[in-house]
Amino acid sequence: MSSMPPKEIRVRFAPSPTGYLHVGGARTALFDWLYARHHGGKFILRIEDTDVERSSQEMVEGILEGMRWLGLDWDEGPFFQSQRVDRYRAAAAELVKSGHAYYCYCTPEQLKERRELAQKEKRNYKYEGTCRRLSTEQVAANEAQGRPRAVRFKVPEGESLQYHDLVFGTIEVAHAQIEDFVLLNSKNHPTYHLSVVVDDLEMRITHVVRGADHVSNTPKQILLYRAFEAEIPEFAHLPLILGPDKAKLSKRHGTTSVTAYRDMGYLPEAFRNFLALLGWSPGDNTEIMSTDDLIERFSLEKINQSNAVFDVQKLDWLNRQYIGASTAERLAPLVRKALEGKNLWRAEFDGDRKEYFYSSIDLLKSRMHSINDFAEGGQAFFTDLFFVDEAAAKKNLKDPALKELIPLLADRFRGLDPFTLESSEQVLRALADEKQVKAGLLINATRVLLTGRAVGPPLFHIMIQLGRDRTTERLERISQFTTVN
Ligand code: GLU
């Protein structure tokens, strides 16, 4: 008995480089990648750049950069459609020869006129098949005159076309609704439908996993597969991503380019986890999933039909969870970048003070909103010239008694040896008792003086982290706040 080896799963991400990698594209790429990785298959990257005027090398670079940031490595490609145009022309010629396509000599002006007339009469325009009915002689005459012509697909007679979408189930479209679509335009330029099918065939794609905006394209593409007498791949269309106002996610909702999220301080693993939940769930309530978890649990069956909503609060929450759970080693290069961006990076953080740099990250990480926050909310750990939050100073430094108490506290810390969590706390509480003030008054004031902020890690940990000298120096700055009242 012989058994067929299981067919290799081959999926592709096929962006058009007419913009950067946006959230929707990244989600499509991620789902394709997860599916390939889950099955040990191949993930192919194909750049659909046949629209030369709207495509650019810069956008291609931007797309690759976004994919690399998200860790979506591809096994084959990138292939560029602009380099394969001859293949598409040959395929169109093949279809004309086999009777599945025909030359169309209708001029753009004629088509425009007919379309406008339809619009005026409030009917949907569909190419009426004028040139489909030309006799062999008429075609020969047109060719002899060298008239410009497009190639159109000859939609076969028939009732309706049915296919099974792995997400949306059975989809049925009447042939009458499908027009004889263009394969090559009158400038001999291939259209999307032709090039996508030729490529998916040649690249032996087994599963077309792409955005739901392509559902309406699928019947035409299936007709093409049939005309080529080729095996039809499986289709899985991913639900749309909406903004919080339930309109399709677009520039109107703010940032949609993936690398902009990197620049805002999101961790790629958090962003990837977030994208995975846009239209898919593992079937229980698990939300935090490592890449390995995602690969293991991902399946096309669990993709939702209903639209996904881009919830930035959830993204922020995930980002905080991931930052808090990351090792200092993982975060260090990213925090370094953030500090460099604010001119706060110092070579000693990678030299004598490396340990200090790492332990500062560990102390701060569970409270950071983003990677950039290390250089913002956390900047007092990396520079003495840190920003002091005005509201925090107003609230916590306003008690006039502090002008005397804080210098006293600084004095006592200066002579304190060893300077530890326990000893520093003892000193502070003893002073509060002695002066009959609440320890909280000293704690809150000290925190603002040491970090510029009203909230942050436990105070005594901050003091030990900064060390005795820095702590006392910063406490002495109370004199600069005398105008606060
Ligand atoms: N190039 C198309 C796009 O960017 C995708 C084509 C496809 O996945 O079939 O929308």
Side-chain angles (χ1 to χ4, degrees):
M1 244 175 63
S2 73
S3 66
M4 290 274 285
K7 199 162 144 192
E8 182 184 57
I9 301 281
R10 294 174 62 84
V11 293
R12 73 337 186 251
F13 175 49
S16 305
T18 52
Y20 290 107
L21 181 62
H22 53 83
V23 170
R27 194 272 312 258
T28 298
L30 174 66
F31 283 26
D32 275 290
W33 181 84
L34 287 172
Y35 192 62
R37 293 293 170 261
H38 179 90
H39 289 283
K42 293 283 190 300
F43 176 55
I44 294 145
L45 176 59
R46 183 171 76 223
I47 306 291
E48 304 210 320
D49 58 347
T50 48
D51 185 345
V52 199
E53 265 148 45
R54 291 178 58 222
S55 304
S56 79
Q57 187 54 30
E58 192 198 340
M59 296 304 172
V60 173
E61 290 302 329
I63 289 169
L64 301 188
E65 195 184 330
M67 290 182 68
R68 286 192 196 104
W69 178 62
L70 286 171
L72 305 179
D73 54 332
W74 50 95
D75 305 302
E76 294 174 26
F79 299 109
F80 292 85
Q81 286 195 327
S82 57
Q83 293 168 11
R84 297 173 46 77
V85 173
D86 288 345
R87 291 288 318 121
Y88 313 138
R89 289 184 184 137
E94 200 183 300
L95 290 177
V96 173
K97 204 163 152 220
S98 63
H100 291 99
Y102 59 90
Y103 293 138
C104 171
Y105 302 91
C106 298
T107 64
E109 293 73 35
Q110 287 170 330
L111 292 169
K112 189 165 167 244
E113 234 168 70
R114 294 178 211 164
R115 213 174 292 121
E116 282 171 0
L117 183 68
Q119 223 166 26
K120 235 172 50 208
E121 293 172 359
K122 299 210 181 335
R123 14 174 207 103
N124 279 337
Y125 178 71
K126 182 179 140 229
Y127 180 65
E128 50 285 273
T130 317
C131 294
R132 182 175 174 142
R133 293 183 290 269
L134 294 181
S135 66
T136 324
E137 293 73 36
Q138 284 168 313
V139 171
N142 284 336
E143 286 297 300
Q145 288 170 24
R147 285 180 60 181
R149 38 104 161 138
V151 175
R152 279 185 189 270
F153 185 73
K154 193 186 282 176
V155 172
E157 312 279 333
E159 284 287 292
S160 68
L161 176 147
Q162 247 196 22
Y163 78 96
H164 183 77
D165 187 288
L166 293 175
V167 176
F168 289 92
T170 302
I171 294 182
E172 188 168 351
V173 181
H175 279 213
Q177 278 176 23
I178 310 173
E179 77 166 356
D180 285 355
F181 52 98
V182 174
L183 301 174
L184 290 179
N185 68 16
S186 57
K187 296 200 171 74
N188 207 21
H189 201 74
T191 58
Y192 158 69
H193 290 301
L194 176 66
S195 45
V196 85
V197 169
V198 169
D199 280 351
D200 284 344
L201 263 174
E202 287 200 4
M203 294 171 191
R204 305 193 317 283
I205 300 303
T206 57
H207 294 72
V208 172
V209 181
R210 60 184 176 189
D213 43 338
H214 290 291
V215 167
S216 60
N217 292 328
T218 309
K220 289 178 184 160
Q221 294 173 9
I222 288 178
L223 291 176
L224 274 171
Y225 283 102
R226 289 186 184 162
F228 286 123
E229 291 177 26
E231 196 178 328
I232 300 171
E234 299 283 354
F235 290 92
H237 286 95
L238 310 177
L240 295 180
I241 304 176
L242 309 182
D245 59 354
K246 305 280 152 58
K248 190 172 176 233
L249 193 68
S250 71
K251 285 206 186 87
R252 242 173 359 91
H253 295 102
T255 320
T256 61
S257 137
V258 159
T259 42
Y261 285 93
R262 173 197 62 195
D263 300 341
M264 288 189 277
Y266 291 95
L267 272 184
E269 45 272 48
F271 199 74
R272 195 162 55 215
N273 191 153
F274 173 72
L275 286 179
L277 297 173
L278 285 178
W280 173 82
S281 83
D284 55 27
N285 290 329
T286 318
E287 295 209 289
I288 298 190
M289 280 166 282
S290 69
T291 304
D292 286 345
D293 291 342
L294 289 173
I295 290 173
E296 196 187 311
R297 304 188 68 171
F298 187 78
S299 75
L300 296 177
E301 290 73 44
K302 292 256 157 50
I303 294 174
N304 307 319
Q305 286 184 9
S306 47
N307 296 328
V309 176
F310 187 96
D311 175 359
V312 80
Q313 277 158 10
K314 183 159 179 183
L315 171 61
D316 287 341
W317 175 79
L318 278 168
N319 202 35
R320 288 197 301 274
Q321 302 302 310
Y322 270 87
I323 292 174
S326 295
T327 62
E329 201 160 21
R330 160 71 184 118
L331 298 173
L334 304 174
V335 175
R336 174 181 177 155
K337 262 221 166 95
L339 292 177
E340 282 170 345
K342 297 258 175 191
N343 273 327
L344 296 174
W345 173 254
R346 306 216 314 264
E348 61 187 26
F349 294 149
D350 197 27
D352 295 353
R353 305 264 290 156
K354 187 166 174 172
E355 218 169 288
Y356 171 81
F357 179 53
Y358 275 49
S359 52
S360 298
I361 293 176
D362 275 329
L363 184 59
L364 286 167
K365 66 187 183 187
S366 64
R367 288 176 177 76
M368 293 287 102
H369 295 285
S370 72
I371 294 296
N372 293 349
D373 202 13
F374 283 93
E376 289 157 12
Q379 64 177 238
F381 289 82
F382 308 107
T383 175
D384 288 322
L385 297 172
F386 55 89
F387 169 81
V388 177
D389 178 56
E390 207 175 314
K394 265 200 174 132
K395 180 163 169 253
N396 294 334
L397 300 178
K398 69 168 184 265
D399 191 324
L402 291 169
K403 261 179 277 169
E404 276 164 40
L405 291 172
I406 294 291
L408 254 181
L409 185 64
D411 256 4
R412 291 190 187 181
F413 281 154
R414 201 173 293 113
L416 186 62
D417 189 21
F419 186 70
T420 62
L421 282 180
E422 295 75 24
S423 69
S424 57
E425 179 164 3
Q426 222 166 34
V427 162
L428 183 141
R429 291 193 188 279
L431 181 68
D433 279 352
E434 199 182 307
K435 299 292 176 188
Q436 298 194 352
V437 294
K438 285 203 178 110
L441 175 71
L442 298 179
I443 288 177
N444 293 338
T446 302
R447 179 190 297 287
V448 174
L449 289 165
L450 296 186
T451 66
R453 323 246 311 158
V455 290
L459 178 69
F460 299 102
H461 285 86
I462 296 175
M463 299 204 305
I464 301 312
Q465 180 64 13
L466 293 173
R468 188 172 56 193
D469 293 347
R470 268 219 160 83
T471 297
T472 49
E473 278 160 26
R474 290 187 184 181
L475 288 178
E476 278 156 7
R477 292 185 192 169
I478 183 77
S479 58
Q480 297 167 16
F481 290 92
T482 46
T483 52
V484 174
N485 52 44

CSV table of all heavy atoms in Angstrom, one decimal, residues 400-432:
chain,number,residue,atom,x,y,z
A,400,PRO,N,5.5,73.9,54.1
A,400,PRO,CA,6.6,74.7,54.4
A,400,PRO,C,7.6,74.0,55.4
A,400,PRO,O,8.8,74.3,55.4
A,400,PRO,CB,6.1,76.0,55.1
A,400,PRO,CG,4.6,75.8,55.1
A,400,PRO,CD,4.2,74.5,54.5
A,401,ALA,N,7.1,73.1,56.2
A,401,ALA,CA,8.0,72.4,57.1
A,401,ALA,C,9.1,71.6,56.4
A,401,ALA,O,10.2,71.4,57.0
A,401,ALA,CB,7.1,71.4,58.0
A,402,LEU,N,8.8,71.3,55.1
A,402,LEU,CA,9.8,70.4,54.4
A,402,LEU,C,11.1,71.2,54.2
A,402,LEU,O,12.2,70.5,54.1
A,402,LEU,CB,9.2,70.1,53.0
A,402,LEU,CG,8.0,69.1,53.1
A,402,LEU,CD1,7.3,69.0,51.7
A,402,LEU,CD2,8.5,67.7,53.5
A,403,LYS,N,11.1,72.5,54.1
A,403,LYS,CA,12.3,73.3,53.9
A,403,LYS,C,13.3,73.0,55.0
A,403,LYS,O,14.5,73.1,54.8
A,403,LYS,CB,12.0,74.8,53.9
A,403,LYS,CG,11.9,75.3,52.4
A,403,LYS,CD,11.5,76.7,52.4
A,403,LYS,CE,10.0,76.9,52.5
A,403,LYS,NZ,9.6,78.3,52.6
A,404,GLU,N,12.8,72.7,56.2
A,404,GLU,CA,13.8,72.3,57.3
A,404,GLU,C,13.9,70.8,57.4
A,404,GLU,O,15.0,70.3,57.6
A,404,GLU,CB,13.3,72.8,58.6
A,404,GLU,CG,13.6,74.3,58.8
A,404,GLU,CD,12.8,74.9,59.9
A,404,GLU,OE1,12.6,74.2,60.9
A,404,GLU,OE2,12.4,76.1,59.7
A,405,LEU,N,12.9,70.1,57.2
A,405,LEU,CA,12.9,68.6,57.4
A,405,LEU,C,13.8,67.9,56.4
A,405,LEU,O,14.6,67.0,56.8
A,405,LEU,CB,11.5,68.1,57.4
A,405,LEU,CG,10.6,68.4,58.5
A,405,LEU,CD1,9.1,68.0,58.2
A,405,LEU,CD2,11.1,67.8,59.8
A,406,ILE,N,13.7,68.3,55.2
A,406,ILE,CA,14.4,67.6,54.1
A,406,ILE,C,15.9,67.7,54.2
A,406,ILE,O,16.7,66.8,54.2
A,406,ILE,CB,13.9,67.9,52.7
A,406,ILE,CG1,12.4,67.5,52.5
A,406,ILE,CG2,14.8,67.4,51.6
A,406,ILE,CD1,12.2,65.9,52.5
A,407,PRO,N,16.4,69.0,54.5
A,407,PRO,CA,17.9,69.1,54.7
A,407,PRO,C,18.3,68.3,55.9
A,407,PRO,O,19.4,67.7,55.9
A,407,PRO,CB,18.1,70.6,54.9
A,407,PRO,CG,16.9,71.2,54.2
A,407,PRO,CD,15.8,70.3,54.4
A,408,LEU,N,17.5,68.2,56.9
A,408,LEU,CA,17.9,67.3,58.1
A,408,LEU,C,18.0,65.9,57.7
A,408,LEU,O,18.9,65.2,58.1
A,408,LEU,CB,16.7,67.5,59.1
A,408,LEU,CG,17.0,68.3,60.4
A,408,LEU,CD1,15.8,68.3,61.3
A,408,LEU,CD2,18.2,67.8,61.1
A,409,LEU,N,17.0,65.5,56.9
A,409,LEU,CA,17.0,64.1,56.4
A,409,LEU,C,18.2,63.8,55.6
A,409,LEU,O,18.9,62.8,55.8
A,409,LEU,CB,15.7,63.8,55.6
A,409,LEU,CG,15.5,62.4,55.1
A,409,LEU,CD1,15.2,61.4,56.3
A,409,LEU,CD2,14.2,62.3,54.2
A,410,ALA,N,18.5,64.7,54.7
A,410,ALA,CA,19.7,64.6,53.9
A,410,ALA,C,21.0,64.4,54.7
A,410,ALA,O,21.8,63.6,54.5
A,410,ALA,CB,19.9,65.8,52.9
A,411,ASP,N,21.0,65.2,55.7
A,411,ASP,CA,22.2,65.2,56.7
A,411,ASP,C,22.3,63.8,57.3
A,411,ASP,O,23.4,63.2,57.4
A,411,ASP,CB,21.9,66.1,57.8
A,411,ASP,CG,22.8,67.4,57.7
A,411,ASP,OD1,23.5,67.5,56.6
A,411,ASP,OD2,22.7,68.2,58.6
A,412,ARG,N,21.2,63.3,57.8
A,412,ARG,CA,21.2,62.0,58.4
A,412,ARG,C,21.6,60.9,57.5
A,412,ARG,O,22.3,59.9,57.8
A,412,ARG,CB,19.9,61.7,59.1
A,412,ARG,CG,19.7,62.6,60.3
A,412,ARG,CD,18.6,62.3,61.2
A,412,ARG,NE,18.4,63.3,62.1
A,412,ARG,CZ,17.5,63.4,63.1
A,412,ARG,NH1,16.6,62.3,63.2
A,412,ARG,NH2,17.4,64.4,63.9
A,413,PHE,N,21.1,61.0,56.3
A,413,PHE,CA,21.5,60.0,55.2
A,413,PHE,C,23.0,60.0,54.9
A,413,PHE,O,23.6,59.0,54.7
A,413,PHE,CB,20.7,60.2,53.9
A,413,PHE,CG,19.3,59.7,54.0
A,413,PHE,CD1,18.3,60.2,53.2
A,413,PHE,CD2,18.9,58.6,54.8
A,413,PHE,CE1,17.0,59.8,53.2
A,413,PHE,CE2,17.6,58.2,54.9
A,413,PHE,CZ,16.6,58.8,54.0
A,414,ARG,N,23.5,61.2,54.9
A,414,ARG,CA,24.9,61.4,54.6
A,414,ARG,C,25.8,60.6,55.5
A,414,ARG,O,26.8,60.1,55.1
A,414,ARG,CB,25.3,62.9,54.6
A,414,ARG,CG,26.5,63.2,53.7
A,414,ARG,CD,26.8,64.6,53.5
A,414,ARG,NE,25.8,65.3,52.8
A,414,ARG,CZ,25.0,66.3,53.2
A,414,ARG,NH1,25.1,66.6,54.5
A,414,ARG,NH2,24.1,66.9,52.4
A,415,GLY,N,25.4,60.6,56.8
A,415,GLY,CA,26.2,59.9,57.8
A,415,GLY,C,25.9,58.4,57.9
A,415,GLY,O,26.4,57.8,58.8
A,416,LEU,N,24.9,58.0,57.1
A,416,LEU,CA,24.4,56.6,57.4
A,416,LEU,C,25.2,55.6,56.7
A,416,LEU,O,25.4,55.6,55.5
A,416,LEU,CB,22.9,56.6,56.8
A,416,LEU,CG,22.2,55.3,57.1
A,416,LEU,CD1,22.0,55.1,58.6
A,416,LEU,CD2,20.8,55.3,56.4
A,417,ASP,N,25.7,54.6,57.5
A,417,ASP,CA,26.5,53.5,57.0
A,417,ASP,C,26.3,52.3,57.8
A,417,ASP,O,26.4,52.3,59.0
A,417,ASP,CB,28.0,54.0,57.1
A,417,ASP,CG,28.9,53.0,56.3
A,417,ASP,OD1,28.4,52.3,55.4
A,417,ASP,OD2,30.1,52.9,56.6
A,418,PRO,N,25.8,51.2,57.2
A,418,PRO,CA,25.5,51.1,55.8
A,418,PRO,C,24.2,51.7,55.4
A,418,PRO,O,23.3,51.8,56.2
A,418,PRO,CB,25.5,49.5,55.6
A,418,PRO,CG,25.0,49.0,56.9
A,418,PRO,CD,25.5,50.0,57.9
A,419,PHE,N,24.1,52.1,54.1
A,419,PHE,CA,22.9,52.7,53.6
A,419,PHE,C,22.1,51.6,52.9
A,419,PHE,O,22.4,51.2,51.8
A,419,PHE,CB,23.4,53.8,52.6
A,419,PHE,CG,22.3,54.7,52.0
A,419,PHE,CD1,21.6,55.6,52.8
A,419,PHE,CD2,21.9,54.6,50.7
A,419,PHE,CE1,20.6,56.4,52.3
A,419,PHE,CE2,20.9,55.4,50.1
A,419,PHE,CZ,20.3,56.3,50.9
A,420,THR,N,21.2,51.1,53.6
A,420,THR,CA,20.4,49.9,53.1
A,420,THR,C,18.9,50.3,53.1
A,420,THR,O,18.5,51.3,53.7
A,420,THR,CB,20.6,48.7,54.0
A,420,THR,OG1,20.1,49.0,55.3
A,420,THR,CG2,22.1,48.3,54.1
A,421,LEU,N,18.1,49.3,52.6
A,421,LEU,CA,16.7,49.5,52.6
A,421,LEU,C,16.2,49.7,54.0
A,421,LEU,O,15.4,50.6,54.3
A,421,LEU,CB,16.0,48.2,52.1
A,421,LEU,CG,15.9,48.0,50.6
A,421,LEU,CD1,15.2,46.6,50.3
A,421,LEU,CD2,15.2,49.1,49.9
A,422,GLU,N,16.7,48.8,54.9
A,422,GLU,CA,16.2,48.9,56.3
A,422,GLU,C,16.7,50.2,57.0
A,422,GLU,O,15.9,50.9,57.6
A,422,GLU,CB,16.7,47.7,57.1
A,422,GLU,CG,16.1,46.4,56.6
A,422,GLU,CD,16.8,45.9,55.3
A,422,GLU,OE1,17.9,46.3,55.0
A,422,GLU,OE2,16.1,45.1,54.6
A,423,SER,N,18.0,50.4,56.9
A,423,SER,CA,18.6,51.6,57.7
A,423,SER,C,18.0,52.9,57.1
A,423,SER,O,17.7,53.8,57.9
A,423,SER,CB,20.1,51.6,57.6
A,423,SER,OG,20.5,51.9,56.3
A,424,SER,N,17.8,53.0,55.8
A,424,SER,CA,17.3,54.3,55.3
A,424,SER,C,15.8,54.5,55.8
A,424,SER,O,15.4,55.6,56.1
A,424,SER,CB,17.4,54.4,53.8
A,424,SER,OG,16.7,53.3,53.2
A,425,GLU,N,15.1,53.4,55.7
A,425,GLU,CA,13.7,53.5,56.2
A,425,GLU,C,13.6,53.9,57.6
A,425,GLU,O,12.8,54.8,58.1
A,425,GLU,CB,12.9,52.2,55.9
A,425,GLU,CG,11.5,52.3,56.4
A,425,GLU,CD,10.5,51.2,55.9
A,425,GLU,OE1,11.0,50.3,55.2
A,425,GLU,OE2,9.3,51.3,56.2
A,426,GLN,N,14.5,53.3,58.4
A,426,GLN,CA,14.5,53.6,59.9
A,426,GLN,C,14.8,55.0,60.1
A,426,GLN,O,14.1,55.7,60.9
A,426,GLN,CB,15.6,52.7,60.5
A,426,GLN,CG,15.2,52.1,61.8
A,426,GLN,CD,16.3,51.0,62.2
A,426,GLN,OE1,17.5,51.2,61.8
A,426,GLN,NE2,15.8,50.0,62.8
A,427,VAL,N,15.8,55.6,59.4
A,427,VAL,CA,16.2,57.0,59.6
A,427,VAL,C,15.0,57.9,59.3
A,427,VAL,O,14.7,58.8,60.0
A,427,VAL,CB,17.4,57.3,58.8
A,427,VAL,CG1,17.6,58.8,58.6
A,427,VAL,CG2,18.6,56.7,59.4
A,428,LEU,N,14.4,57.6,58.2
A,428,LEU,CA,13.3,58.5,57.7
A,428,LEU,C,12.1,58.4,58.8
A,428,LEU,O,11.6,59.5,59.2
A,428,LEU,CB,12.8,58.1,56.4
A,428,LEU,CG,11.7,59.0,55.8
A,428,LEU,CD1,11.9,59.2,54.3
A,428,LEU,CD2,10.3,58.4,56.0
A,429,ARG,N,11.8,57.2,59.2
A,429,ARG,CA,10.6,57.1,60.1
A,429,ARG,C,11.0,57.7,61.5
A,429,ARG,O,10.2,58.4,62.2
A,429,ARG,CB,10.2,55.7,60.3
A,429,ARG,CG,9.6,55.2,59.0
A,429,ARG,CD,8.8,53.8,59.2
A,429,ARG,NE,8.4,53.3,57.9
A,429,ARG,CZ,7.3,53.7,57.2
A,429,ARG,NH1,6.5,54.6,57.8
A,429,ARG,NH2,7.0,53.3,56.0
A,430,ALA,N,12.2,57.6,61.9
A,430,ALA,CA,12.7,58.1,63.2
A,430,ALA,C,12.6,59.7,63.1
A,430,ALA,O,12.1,60.3,64.1
A,430,ALA,CB,14.1,57.7,63.5
A,431,LEU,N,13.0,60.2,62.0
A,431,LEU,CA,12.9,61.7,61.9
A,431,LEU,C,11.4,62.2,61.9
A,431,LEU,O,11.1,63.2,62.6
A,431,LEU,CB,13.6,62.2,60.6
A,431,LEU,CG,13.6,63.7,60.4
A,431,LEU,CD1,14.5,64.4,61.4
A,431,LEU,CD2,14.0,64.1,59.0
A,432,ALA,N,10.6,61.4,61.2
A,432,ALA,CA,9.1,61.8,61.3
A,432,ALA,C,8.6,61.8,62.7
A,432,ALA,O,7.9,62.7,63.1
A,432,ALA,CB,8.4,60.8,60.4
